[in-house]
Each structure stands twice: as structure tokens, then as C-alpha cells.
Amino acid sequence: MINMDAALRSADRAAAAPSLQTPRIPAWYPFAMATYFTAVFGAFLLLRDGRVVPGAVLLLLAVAAVLAQATLTRARWGTWPRLSEAPAEIRRAFALYVLLAVAAIIASVGVWSWVGAAGGLAAVFLTALAVVWAYEFRLYPAAARQVRQRLA
């Protein structure tokens, strides 16, 4: 006779595997993402000021760099976990990440309007660094631990 509990647990483990078996994110990743977000904001600042060529070049370089990084990461992992198929614990961690990102944007815009573009770009870099670091090295690992404990 088939043990339904064991079968369901096995199915849960298989569904969670792509979210739990990803290699560790390198230490430089939060810095790279903070640089990316700062470059995007800087590009829009240049575009807003009528400096179309430097703004467009900066934006294209930033997007090309993040696409190259994503492509290399996917090739290294062999898979790309889908949030829609992730365990509830991972989805909750990602929802908190999004809330932190929105708070970082609001804080950066506030700094930008208070002290100007240079301070605003510094705020973008620092808040992006903090949010990406928190997600990659605290929120996601904690959520993955919770999933592993639940499925053990």
C-alpha cells in the first residue's frame, strides 16, 4: 500500500529542490547589484539633463552587465528557480525583499531631494547594497533553512 504522507513529502521535496539547491551567492554580488542600480539611476539623471548619449551608453552597459551576470549564474546553476513554484517560506522572504527595496527607493529619493544628485546616488548605492545583502545572506538562507526543517 502507498503511504500518502510519504508520497506528498517526496513531492514537496522535489518541488522545493530548485530553490534549495542553488550554489551560494558570491560575496561580490551585492556590490555588483548596488553598482547596477546606481548606474541605472545615474543614467536616468543624465538622460533627464539632456545628456542623451552618455545616459544611453551608461544604461545599456548596466543592462548588458546584469544580463551577462544572470546568464552566467544560470549556466553555473543549471537552473533558475521560479518564484511562482517556490515554497511559501521563500515567497515570503522575497515579498519582504520587495518591501525593503521600495523603502530603499523612498529613502534614496528623500536623500536625493534633500542633498542633491551626488548624495542621492550614494544613497541608492548604499541602500541597494544593504537590501541585496540582507536578502541574499540573511532572508533567503533563513527561508531555505525553514523549508529544509519543514521537509525533514
Side-chain angles (χ1 to χ4, degrees), residues 52-105:
V52 175
V53 172
V57 168
L58 182 58
L59 186 58
L60 288 172
L61 287 173
V63 170
V66 83
L67 288 175
Q69 184 276 325
T71 301
L72 291 172
T73 299
R74 186 172 184 164
R76 178 177 160 226
W77 289 1
T79 185
W80 196 266
R82 294 180 188 181
L83 190 58
S84 63
E85 297 171 6
E89 296 89 343
I90 302 290
R91 289 193 310 268
R92 280 193 297 273
F94 189 79
L96 181 54
Y97 171 63
V98 170
L99 288 174
L100 290 172
V102 169
I105 291 168

Side-chain angles (χ1 to χ4, degrees), residues 2 21 31 34 41 47 52 55 67 87 108 110 126 138-139 143 148:
I2 297 174
Q21 295 176 352
F31 292 96
F41 274 79
L47 293 168
V52 175
L67 288 175
S108 296
L126 293 173
R138 292 293 184 252
L139 297 174
R148 285 186 191 97

